[in-house]
Amino acid sequence: MSMLTKKQKAQIIDELADKMKRQQVLIFTNITGVNVSEMQKLRRNLREAEIEYKVAKKTLINLALKKVKQDIDISNVEGSLGLAFSYSDS
C-alpha cells in the first residue's frame, strides 16, 4: 500500500467534510475482521438503500470532523473505521 501525499490527504478530508455537511445520518462502523467478500456485500446492500459508505484513516476522519465543527473524537476508537452516509431522513 502506497503512502498518501499531503494533497491526497487534503482531498480525502475535503470529501469527507462535504459528505458530513450534507448527511442526515452518519454511522461509524468498526470494520476490523471484515473480509473482502463481506465488505463487497455490505457496500452493495448499502448502495441499494442509497447509503454511501467510505473507509478512511481515523486521523483523516478526525480532521474532517473538526473541519465541519463536529465535537466527536474517534482517536481512541479501536480498529479500522468505515462511515455510512445517508442524505435523506427516510
Side-chain angles (χ1 to χ4, degrees):
M1 180 180 263
S2 63
M3 297 291 289
L4 295 173
T5 65
K6 284 185 179 185
K7 183 177 179 180
Q8 290 170 317
K9 289 177 183 179
Q11 288 173 328
I12 292 169
I13 293 166
D14 289 344
E15 177 188 358
L16 290 172
D18 176 63
K19 292 176 189 315
M20 289 173 183
K21 287 178 194 172
R22 295 185 293 122
Q23 57 79 26
Q24 293 293 317
V25 177
L26 173 60
I27 299 171
F28 295 89
T29 63
N30 182 333
I31 61 166
T32 303
V34 178
N35 65 37
V36 173
S37 64
E38 291 170 333
M39 183 59 70
Q40 289 172 335
K41 183 177 180 182
L42 172 65
R43 287 180 187 268
R44 186 171 36 255
N45 290 339
L46 290 172
R47 211 173 14 254
E48 289 172 4
E50 298 181 0
I51 297 171
E52 191 171 355
Y53 192 74
K54 295 287 180 188
V55 175
K57 293 189 175 288
K58 286 185 270 195
T59 53
L60 300 180
I61 295 170
N62 260 335
L63 290 169
L65 286 166
K66 286 179 183 164
K67 187 171 186 167
V68 296
K69 298 178 180 14
Q70 289 293 322
D71 191 23
I72 302 169
D73 182 11
I74 59 165
S75 59
N76 293 325
V77 176
E78 294 286 325
S80 300
L81 287 184
L83 302 169
F85 299 92
S86 178
Y87 302 109
S88 67
D89 57 2
S90 55

Coordinates of all heavy atoms in Angstrom, one line a residue:
M1 N 0.8 -1.2 0.0 CA 0.0 0.0 0.0 C 0.9 1.2 0.0 O 1.8 1.4 0.8 CB -0.9 0.0 1.2 CG -1.8 1.2 1.3 SD -2.9 1.1 2.8 CE -4.3 0.4 2.1
S2 N 0.6 2.1 -0.9 CA 1.5 3.3 -1.0 C 1.0 4.4 0.0 O -0.2 4.5 0.3 CB 1.4 3.9 -2.5 OG 0.1 4.3 -2.8
M3 N 1.9 5.2 0.3 CA 1.6 6.3 1.2 C 0.9 7.4 0.5 O 1.2 7.7 -0.7 CB 2.9 6.9 1.8 CG 3.7 5.9 2.7 SD 2.9 5.5 4.2 CE 3.1 7.0 5.1
L4 N -0.1 8.1 1.2 CA -0.8 9.2 0.5 C 0.0 10.4 0.6 O 0.7 10.7 1.6 CB -2.1 9.4 1.3 CG -3.2 8.2 1.2 CD1 -4.3 8.5 2.1 CD2 -3.6 8.0 -0.2
T5 N -0.1 11.3 -0.4 CA 0.6 12.6 -0.4 C -0.3 13.5 0.5 O -1.4 13.3 0.7 CB 0.8 13.1 -1.8 OG1 -0.5 13.4 -2.3 CG2 1.5 12.1 -2.7
K6 N 0.3 14.7 0.8 CA -0.4 15.7 1.6 C -1.6 16.1 0.8 O -2.7 16.4 1.3 CB 0.5 16.8 1.9 CG 1.4 16.6 3.1 CD 2.2 17.8 3.5 CE 3.1 17.5 4.6 NZ 3.8 18.7 5.1
K7 N -1.5 16.3 -0.6 CA -2.5 16.7 -1.4 C -3.7 15.7 -1.4 O -4.9 16.0 -1.3 CB -2.0 16.9 -2.8 CG -3.1 17.4 -3.8 CD -2.5 17.7 -5.2 CE -3.5 18.2 -6.1 NZ -3.0 18.5 -7.5
Q8 N -3.3 14.4 -1.5 CA -4.4 13.3 -1.5 C -5.1 13.3 -0.1 O -6.3 13.2 -0.1 CB -3.7 12.0 -1.7 CG -3.2 11.8 -3.2 CD -2.4 10.5 -3.3 OE1 -1.5 10.2 -2.5 NE2 -2.6 9.8 -4.4
K9 N -4.3 13.5 1.0 CA -5.0 13.5 2.3 C -5.9 14.7 2.4 O -7.0 14.6 2.9 CB -3.9 13.6 3.4 CG -3.1 12.3 3.5 CD -2.0 12.5 4.6 CE -1.2 11.2 4.7 NZ -0.1 11.3 5.7
A10 N -5.5 15.9 1.9 CA -6.4 17.1 1.9 C -7.6 16.8 1.1 O -8.7 17.2 1.5 CB -5.6 18.3 1.4
Q11 N -7.5 16.1 0.0 CA -8.7 15.8 -0.8 C -9.7 14.9 -0.1 O -10.9 15.1 -0.1 CB -8.3 15.2 -2.2 CG -7.6 16.2 -3.1 CD -7.1 15.5 -4.4 OE1 -6.7 14.3 -4.3 NE2 -7.1 16.2 -5.5
I12 N -9.1 13.9 0.6 CA -10.0 13.0 1.4 C -10.7 13.7 2.5 O -11.9 13.6 2.7 CB -9.1 11.8 1.9 CG1 -8.6 10.9 0.8 CG2 -9.9 11.0 2.9 CD1 -7.6 9.9 1.2
I13 N -9.9 14.6 3.2 CA -10.5 15.4 4.3 C -11.7 16.3 3.7 O -12.7 16.3 4.3 CB -9.5 16.2 5.0 CG1 -8.5 15.3 5.7 CG2 -10.1 17.3 5.9 CD1 -7.2 16.0 6.2
D14 N -11.4 16.9 2.6 CA -12.4 17.8 2.0 C -13.7 17.0 1.6 O -14.8 17.4 1.8 CB -11.9 18.5 0.8 CG -10.9 19.6 1.2 OD1 -10.9 20.0 2.4 OD2 -10.2 20.1 0.3
E15 N -13.4 15.8 1.0 CA -14.5 14.9 0.5 C -15.4 14.5 1.7 O -16.6 14.5 1.7 CB -14.0 13.7 -0.2 CG -15.1 12.8 -0.7 CD -14.5 11.5 -1.3 OE1 -13.3 11.3 -1.4 OE2 -15.3 10.6 -1.6
L16 N -14.7 14.0 2.8 CA -15.4 13.6 4.0 C -16.2 14.7 4.6 O -17.3 14.6 5.0 CB -14.4 13.0 5.0 CG -13.8 11.6 4.6 CD1 -12.7 11.2 5.6 CD2 -14.9 10.5 4.6
A17 N -15.5 15.9 4.7 CA -16.2 17.1 5.3 C -17.5 17.4 4.5 O -18.5 17.8 5.1 CB -15.2 18.2 5.4
D18 N -17.4 17.4 3.2 CA -18.5 17.7 2.3 C -19.7 16.7 2.6 O -20.8 17.1 2.8 CB -18.1 17.7 0.9 CG -19.3 17.9 -0.1 OD1 -19.9 19.0 0.0 OD2 -19.7 16.9 -0.8
K19 N -19.3 15.4 2.7 CA -20.3 14.4 3.0 C -20.9 14.6 4.3 O -22.1 14.5 4.5 CB -19.7 13.0 2.8 CG -19.4 12.7 1.4 CD -18.7 11.3 1.4 CE -18.1 11.0 0.0 NZ -18.9 11.3 -1.1
M20 N -20.1 15.0 5.3 CA -20.6 15.2 6.7 C -21.5 16.4 6.7 O -22.5 16.4 7.5 CB -19.4 15.4 7.6 CG -18.6 14.2 7.9 SD -17.2 14.5 8.9 CE -16.4 12.9 8.9
K21 N -21.3 17.5 5.9 CA -22.2 18.6 5.9 C -23.5 18.3 5.3 O -24.5 18.8 5.7 CB -21.5 19.7 5.1 CG -20.4 20.4 5.7 CD -19.8 21.5 4.8 CE -18.5 22.0 5.2 NZ -17.8 22.8 4.2
R22 N -23.5 17.4 4.3 CA -24.8 17.1 3.6 C -25.6 16.0 4.2 O -26.8 15.8 3.9 CB -24.5 16.7 2.1 CG -23.9 17.8 1.3 CD -23.7 17.4 -0.1 NE -22.7 16.4 -0.3 CZ -22.9 15.2 -0.9 NH1 -24.1 14.9 -1.3 NH2 -21.9 14.4 -1.0
Q23 N -25.0 15.2 5.1 CA -25.7 14.0 5.6 C -26.8 14.3 6.6 O -26.8 15.3 7.2 CB -24.6 13.1 6.3 CG -23.9 13.7 7.5 CD -24.6 13.8 8.8 OE1 -25.5 13.0 9.1 NE2 -24.1 14.7 9.6
Q24 N -27.8 13.4 6.6 CA -28.9 13.4 7.5 C -28.6 12.4 8.6 O -29.0 12.6 9.8 CB -30.2 13.1 6.9 CG -30.7 14.1 5.9 CD -31.1 15.4 6.6 OE1 -31.7 15.4 7.6 NE2 -30.6 16.5 6.0
V25 N -27.9 11.3 8.3 CA -27.5 10.3 9.2 C -26.0 9.9 8.9 O -25.7 9.7 7.8 CB -28.4 9.1 9.1 CG1 -28.0 8.0 10.0 CG2 -29.9 9.4 9.3
L26 N -25.2 9.8 10.0 CA -23.9 9.4 9.8 C -23.6 8.3 10.9 O -23.8 8.5 12.1 CB -22.9 10.5 10.1 CG -21.4 10.2 10.2 CD1 -20.9 9.6 8.9 CD2 -20.6 11.5 10.5
I27 N -23.2 7.1 10.4 CA -22.9 6.0 11.3 C -21.5 5.5 11.1 O -21.0 5.4 10.0 CB -23.9 4.8 10.9 CG1 -25.3 5.2 11.1 CG2 -23.5 3.6 11.8 CD1 -26.3 4.2 10.6
F28 N -20.8 5.4 12.3 CA -19.5 4.9 12.3 C -19.5 3.4 12.5 O -20.2 2.9 13.3 CB -18.7 5.5 13.5 CG -18.5 7.0 13.3 CD1 -19.4 7.9 13.9 CD2 -17.4 7.5 12.7 CE1 -19.3 9.2 13.7 CE2 -17.2 8.9 12.6 CZ -18.1 9.7 13.1
T29 N -18.7 2.7 11.7 CA -18.7 1.2 11.9 C -17.2 0.7 12.1 O -16.3 1.3 11.5 CB -19.3 0.5 10.6 OG1 -18.4 0.8 9.5 CG2 -20.7 0.9 10.3
N30 N -17.1 -0.3 12.8 CA -15.8 -1.0 13.0 C -15.7 -2.1 12.0 O -16.5 -3.0 12.0 CB -15.7 -1.5 14.4 CG -14.3 -2.2 14.7 OD1 -13.6 -2.6 13.8 ND2 -13.9 -2.2 16.0
I31 N -14.7 -2.0 11.1 CA -14.6 -3.0 10.0 C -13.5 -4.0 10.3 O -13.1 -4.8 9.4 CB -14.3 -2.3 8.7 CG1 -13.1 -1.5 8.7 CG2 -15.6 -1.4 8.3 CD1 -12.6 -1.0 7.3
T32 N -12.9 -4.0 11.5 CA -11.9 -5.0 11.8 C -12.4 -6.4 11.7 O -13.5 -6.7 12.2 CB -11.4 -4.7 13.2 OG1 -10.9 -3.4 13.4 CG2 -10.2 -5.7 13.6
G33 N -11.7 -7.2 10.9 CA -12.1 -8.6 10.7 C -13.1 -8.8 9.6 O -13.4 -10.0 9.3
V34 N -13.5 -7.8 8.9 CA -14.5 -8.0 7.8 C -13.6 -8.3 6.6 O -12.7 -7.6 6.2 CB -15.3 -6.7 7.5 CG1 -16.2 -6.9 6.3 CG2 -16.1 -6.3 8.8
N35 N -14.0 -9.5 5.9 CA -13.2 -9.9 4.7 C -13.7 -9.2 3.5 O -14.8 -8.5 3.5 CB -13.1 -11.4 4.6 CG -14.5 -12.0 4.3 OD1 -15.3 -11.4 3.6 ND2 -14.7 -13.2 4.8
V36 N -13.0 -9.3 2.4 CA -13.4 -8.6 1.1 C -14.8 -9.0 0.7 O -15.5 -8.1 0.3 CB -12.3 -8.9 0.0 CG1 -12.7 -8.3 -1.3 CG2 -11.0 -8.4 0.5
S37 N -15.2 -10.2 0.7 CA -16.5 -10.6 0.2 C -17.6 -10.0 1.0 O -18.6 -9.6 0.6 CB -16.6 -12.1 0.0 OG -16.6 -12.7 1.2
E38 N -17.4 -10.0 2.4 CA -18.3 -9.4 3.3 C -18.5 -7.9 3.0 O -19.6 -7.3 3.1 CB -18.0 -9.7 4.7 CG -18.1 -11.1 5.1 CD -17.4 -11.4 6.5 OE1 -16.5 -10.7 6.9 OE2 -17.9 -12.4 7.1
M39 N -17.3 -7.3 2.8 CA -17.3 -5.8 2.5 C -18.0 -5.5 1.2 O -18.8 -4.5 1.2 CB -15.9 -5.3 2.5 CG -15.8 -3.8 2.3 SD -16.6 -2.8 3.6 CE -15.6 -3.0 5.0
Q40 N -17.8 -6.3 0.2 CA -18.5 -6.1 -1.1 C -20.0 -6.2 -0.9 O -20.8 -5.4 -1.4 CB -18.0 -7.1 -2.1 CG -16.6 -6.8 -2.6 CD -16.0 -7.8 -3.5 OE1 -16.4 -9.0 -3.4 NE2 -15.0 -7.5 -4.3
K41 N -20.4 -7.2 -0.1 CA -21.9 -7.4 0.1 C -22.4 -6.3 0.9 O -23.5 -5.8 0.6 CB -22.1 -8.8 0.9 CG -23.5 -9.1 1.1 CD -23.7 -10.4 1.8 CE -25.2 -10.7 2.0 NZ -25.4 -12.0 2.7
L42 N -21.7 -5.8 1.9 CA -22.2 -4.7 2.7 C -22.3 -3.4 1.8 O -23.4 -2.8 1.9 CB -21.2 -4.4 3.8 CG -21.4 -3.1 4.6 CD1 -22.7 -3.2 5.4 CD2 -20.2 -2.8 5.6
R43 N -21.3 -3.1 1.0 CA -21.4 -2.0 0.1 C -22.5 -2.1 -0.8 O -23.2 -1.1 -1.1 CB -20.1 -1.8 -0.6 CG -18.9 -1.3 0.2 CD -17.7 -1.2 -0.6 NE -16.5 -0.8 0.2 CZ -16.1 0.4 0.4 NH1 -16.7 1.4 -0.1 NH2 -15.0 0.6 1.1
R44 N -22.8 -3.3 -1.4 CA -23.9 -3.5 -2.4 C -25.2 -3.2 -1.7 O -26.1 -2.5 -2.2 CB -23.8 -4.9 -2.9 CG -24.8 -5.2 -4.0 CD -24.5 -6.5 -4.7 NE -24.1 -7.6 -3.9 CZ -22.8 -8.1 -3.9 NH1 -21.9 -7.5 -4.6 NH2 -22.5 -9.1 -3.1
N45 N -25.4 -3.8 -0.5 CA -26.6 -3.6 0.3 C -26.9 -2.1 0.6 O -28.0 -1.6 0.5 CB -26.7 -4.5 1.5 CG -26.8 -5.9 1.2 OD1 -27.2 -6.3 0.1 ND2 -26.4 -6.8 2.1
L46 N -25.8 -1.5 1.0 CA -25.9 0.0 1.4 C -26.3 0.8 0.2 O -27.1 1.7 0.2 CB -24.7 0.5 2.1 CG -24.4 -0.1 3.5 CD1 -23.0 0.3 4.0 CD2 -25.5 0.4 4.4
R47 N -25.6 0.5 -0.9 CA -25.8 1.2 -2.2 C -27.3 1.1 -2.6 O -28.0 2.1 -3.0 CB -24.9 0.7 -3.3 CG -24.5 1.7 -4.3 CD -23.5 1.3 -5.3 NE -23.2 -0.1 -5.4 CZ -22.0 -0.7 -4.9 NH1 -21.1 0.0 -4.3 NH2 -21.8 -2.0 -5.1
E48 N -27.9 -0.1 -2.5 CA -29.3 -0.3 -2.8 C -30.2 0.5 -1.9 O -31.3 0.9 -2.4 CB -29.6 -1.8 -2.7 CG -29.0 -2.7 -3.8 CD -29.2 -4.2 -3.6 OE1 -29.8 -4.6 -2.6 OE2 -28.6 -4.9 -4.4
A49 N -29.8 0.7 -0.7 CA -30.6 1.6 0.2 C -30.2 3.0 0.1 O -30.6 3.8 1.0 CB -30.3 1.1 1.7
E50 N -29.4 3.4 -0.9 CA -29.0 4.8 -1.2 C -28.2 5.4 0.0 O -28.3 6.5 0.4 CB -30.2 5.7 -1.5 CG -30.9 5.2 -2.8 CD -32.1 6.1 -3.1 OE1 -32.4 7.1 -2.4 OE2 -32.7 5.8 -4.2
I51 N -27.3 4.5 0.5 CA -26.4 4.9 1.6 C -25.0 4.8 1.1 O -24.6 3.8 0.5 CB -26.6 4.0 2.8 CG1 -28.0 4.2 3.4 CG2 -25.5 4.3 3.9 CD1 -28.4 3.2 4.5
E52 N -24.2 5.9 1.2 CA -22.8 5.9 0.8 C -21.9 5.4 1.9 O -22.1 5.7 3.0 CB -22.5 7.3 0.3 CG -21.2 7.4 -0.4 CD -21.0 8.8 -1.0 OE1 -21.9 9.6 -0.9 OE2 -19.9 9.0 -1.5
Y53 N -20.9 4.6 1.5 CA -20.0 4.0 2.5 C -18.6 4.3 2.2 O -18.2 4.1 1.0 CB -20.2 2.5 2.6 CG -19.6 1.9 3.8 CD1 -20.1 2.0 5.0 CD2 -18.4 1.1 3.6 CE1 -19.5 1.4 6.2 CE2 -17.8 0.6 4.7 CZ -18.3 0.7 6.0 OH -17.7 0.1 7.1
K54 N -17.8 4.8 3.1 CA -16.4 5.2 2.9 C -15.6 4.6 4.0 O -16.0 4.6 5.2 CB -16.2 6.7 2.8 CG -16.9 7.4 1.7 CD -16.1 7.1 0.4 CE -16.8 7.7 -0.8 NZ -16.2 7.3 -2.0
V55 N -14.4 4.2 3.7 CA -13.4 3.8 4.7 C -12.3 4.8 4.6 O -11.8 5.1 3.6 CB -12.9 2.3 4.5 CG1 -11.8 2.0 5.4 CG2 -14.1 1.4 4.5
A56 N -11.8 5.3 5.8 CA -10.7 6.2 5.8 C -9.9 6.1 7.1 O -10.4 5.5 8.1 CB -11.2 7.6 5.7
K57 N -8.7 6.6 7.1 CA -7.9 6.6 8.3 C -8.6 7.5 9.4 O -9.2 8.5 9.1 CB -6.5 7.1 8.0 CG -5.8 6.1 7.1 CD -4.3 6.6 7.1 CE -3.5 5.6 6.3 NZ -3.3 4.3 7.0
K58 N -8.5 7.0 10.7 CA -9.1 7.8 11.8 C -8.6 9.2 11.9 O -9.3 10.1 12.2 CB -8.9 7.0 13.1 CG -9.8 5.8 13.2 CD -9.7 5.2 14.6 CE -8.6 4.2 14.5 NZ -8.5 3.2 15.6
T59 N -7.3 9.4 11.6 CA -6.8 10.8 11.7 C -7.4 11.7 10.6 O -7.7 12.8 10.9 CB -5.2 10.8 11.5 OG1 -4.9 10.1 10.3 CG2 -4.5 10.2 12.6
L60 N -7.7 11.2 9.4 CA -8.3 12.0 8.4 C -9.8 12.2 8.7 O -10.3 13.3 8.5 CB -8.2 11.3 7.0 CG -6.8 11.1 6.5 CD1 -6.8 10.4 5.2 CD2 -6.0 12.3 6.5
I61 N -10.5 11.2 9.3 CA -11.9 11.4 9.7 C -11.9 12.4 10.8 O -12.8 13.3 10.8 CB -12.4 10.0 10.2 CG1 -12.5 9.0 9.1 CG2 -13.8 10.2 10.9 CD1 -12.9 7.6 9.5
N62 N -11.0 12.4 11.8 CA -11.0 13.4 12.9 C -10.8 14.8 12.3 O -11.5 15.7 12.8 CB -9.9 13.1 13.9 CG -10.4 12.4 15.1 OD1 -11.6 12.5 15.5 ND2 -9.5 11.6 15.8
L63 N -9.9 14.9 11.4 CA -9.7 16.2 10.8 C -10.9 16.7 10.0 O -11.3 17.9 10.1 CB -8.5 16.2 9.8 CG -7.1 16.0 10.6 CD1 -6.0 15.7 9.6 CD2 -6.8 17.3 11.4
A64 N -11.6 15.8 9.3 CA -12.8 16.2 8.6 C -13.9 16.6 9.7 O -14.7 17.6 9.4 CB -13.3 15.1 7.8
L65 N -14.0 15.9 10.8 CA -15.0 16.2 11.8 C -14.7 17.6 12.4 O -15.6 18.4 12.6 CB -15.0 15.2 12.9 CG -15.6 13.8 12.6 CD1 -15.2 12.8 13.6 CD2 -17.1 14.0 12.5
K66 N -13.4 17.9 12.6 CA -13.1 19.2 13.1 C -13.4 20.3 12.1 O -13.9 21.4 12.4 CB -11.6 19.3 13.5 CG -11.3 18.5 14.7 CD -9.8 18.6 15.1 CE -9.6 17.7 16.3 NZ -8.3 17.3 16.6
K67 N -13.2 20.0 10.8 CA -13.5 21.0 9.7 C -14.9 21.4 9.7 O -15.3 22.5 9.4 CB -13.0 20.4 8.4 CG -13.1 21.4 7.3 CD -12.4 20.8 6.0 CE -12.4 21.9 5.0 NZ -11.5 21.6 3.9
V68 N -15.8 20.4 10.0 CA -17.3 20.7 10.0 C -17.8 21.0 11.4 O -19.0 21.0 11.6 CB -18.1 19.6 9.3 CG1 -17.7 19.5 7.9 CG2 -18.0 18.3 10.1
K69 N -16.8 21.3 12.3 CA -17.1 21.7 13.7 C -18.0 20.7 14.4 O -18.9 21.0 15.2 CB -17.7 23.1 13.7 CG -16.8 24.1 13.1 CD -17.4 25.5 13.1 CE -16.5 26.6 12.5 NZ -15.4 26.3 11.8
Q70 N -17.7 19.4 14.2 CA -18.4 18.3 15.0 C -17.5 17.9 16.2 O -16.3 17.6 15.9 CB -18.7 17.1 14.1 CG -19.7 17.4 13.1 CD -21.1 17.5 13.7 OE1 -21.4 16.9 14.7 NE2 -21.9 18.5 13.2
D71 N -18.0 18.0 17.3 CA -17.2 17.7 18.5 C -17.3 16.2 18.8 O -17.8 15.8 19.9 CB -17.7 18.5 19.7 CG -16.8 18.4 20.9 OD1 -15.6 18.1 20.7 OD2 -17.2 18.6 22.0
I72 N -16.7 15.4 17.9 CA -16.7 13.9 18.1 C -15.2 13.5 18.0 O -14.6 13.8 17.0 CB -17.5 13.2 17.0 CG1 -19.0 13.7 17.0 CG2 -17.4 11.7 17.2 CD1 -19.8 13.2 15.8
D73 N -14.7 12.9 19.0 CA -13.3 12.4 19.0 C -13.3 10.9 18.9 O -13.7 10.2 19.7 CB -12.6 12.8 20.3 CG -11.1 12.4 20.3 OD1 -10.6 12.0 19.2 OD2 -10.5 12.6 21.3
I74 N -12.8 10.4 17.7 CA -12.7 9.0 17.5 C -11.3 8.4 17.6 O -11.1 7.3 17.3 CB -13.3 8.6 16.1 CG1 -12.5 9.4 15.0 CG2 -14.8 9.0 16.0 CD1 -12.7 8.8 13.6
S75 N -10.4 9.3 18.1 CA -9.0 8.8 18.1 C -8.8 7.6 19.0 O -7.8 6.9 18.8 CB -8.1 10.0 18.5 OG -8.5 10.5 19.8
N76 N -9.6 7.4 20.0 CA -9.4 6.3 20.9 C -10.2 5.1 20.6 O -10.2 4.1 21.3 CB -9.7 6.7 22.4 CG -8.7 7.7 22.9 OD1 -7.6 7.6 22.6 ND2 -9.2 8.7 23.7
V77 N -11.0 5.1 19.4 CA -11.8 4.0 19.0 C -10.9 2.9 18.5 O -9.9 3.2 17.7 CB -12.8 4.5 17.9 CG1 -13.6 3.3 17.4 CG2 -13.7 5.5 18.4
E78 N -11.1 1.7 18.9 CA -10.3 0.6 18.4 C -10.7 0.2 17.0 O -11.8 0.2 16.6 CB -10.5 -0.6 19.4 CG -10.0 -0.4 20.8 CD -8.5 -0.5 20.9 OE1 -7.9 -1.2 20.2 OE2 -8.0 0.3 21.8
G79 N -9.7 -0.3 16.3 CA -9.9 -0.9 14.9 C -10.0 0.1 13.8 O -9.9 1.3 14.0
S80 N -10.3 -0.4 12.6 CA -10.5 0.4 11.4 C -11.9 0.8 11.3 O -12.8 0.1 11.7 CB -10.1 -0.5 10.2 OG -8.8 -0.9 10.3
L81 N -12.1 2.0 10.8 CA -13.4 2.6 10.7 C -14.0 2.8 9.3 O -13.2 3.1 8.4 CB -13.5 4.0 11.4 CG -13.4 4.0 12.9 CD1 -13.5 5.5 13.4 CD2 -14.4 3.2 13.5
G82 N -15.3 2.6 9.2 CA -16.0 2.9 8.0 C -17.1 3.9 8.4 O -17.5 4.0 9.5
L83 N -17.5 4.7 7.4 CA -18.6 5.7 7.6 C -19.7 5.4 6.6 O -19.5 5.3 5.4 CB -18.0 7.1 7.4 CG -16.9 7.5 8.2 CD1 -16.3 8.8 7.7 CD2 -17.3 7.7 9.7
A84 N -20.9 5.4 7.1 CA -22.1 5.2 6.3 C -22.8 6.6 6.3 O -23.2 7.1 7.4 CB -23.0 4.1 6.8
F85 N -23.1 7.1 5.1 CA -23.7 8.4 5.0 C -25.1 8.2 4.3 O -25.2 7.6 3.3 CB -22.9 9.4 4.1 CG -21.5 9.7 4.6 CD1 -20.4 8.9 4.2 CD2 -21.3 10.8 5.4 CE1 -19.2 9.2 4.6 CE2 -20.0 11.1 5.8 CZ -18.9 10.3 5.4
S86 N -26.1 8.8 5.0 CA -27.4 8.8 4.3 C -27.8 10.3 4.2 O -27.6 11.1 5.1 CB -28.4 8.1 5.2 OG -29.7 8.2 4.6
Y87 N -28.2 10.7 3.0 CA -28.6 12.1 2.7 C -30.0 12.4 2.8 O -30.5 13.5 2.5 CB -28.0 12.5 1.3 CG -26.5 12.2 1.3 CD1 -26.0 11.2 0.5 CD2 -25.6 13.0 2.0 CE1 -24.6 11.0 0.5 CE2 -24.3 12.7 2.0 CZ -23.7 11.7 1.2 OH -22.4 11.5 1.2
S88 N -30.8 11.4 3.1 CA -32.3 11.6 3.3 C -32.6 11.1 4.7 O -31.9 10.3 5.3 CB -33.1 10.9 2.3 OG -33.0 9.5 2.4
D89 N -33.7 11.6 5.2 CA -34.1 11.2 6.6 C -35.2 10.1 6.6 O -35.8 9.8 7.6 CB -34.6 12.3 7.4 CG -35.8 13.1 6.8 OD1 -36.2 12.7 5.7 OD2 -36.2 14.1 7.3
S90 N -35.4 9.4 5.4 CA -36.4 8.4 5.3 C -35.7 7.0 5.4 O -34.6 6.8 5.3 CB -37.2 8.5 4.0 OG -36.3 8.5 2.9

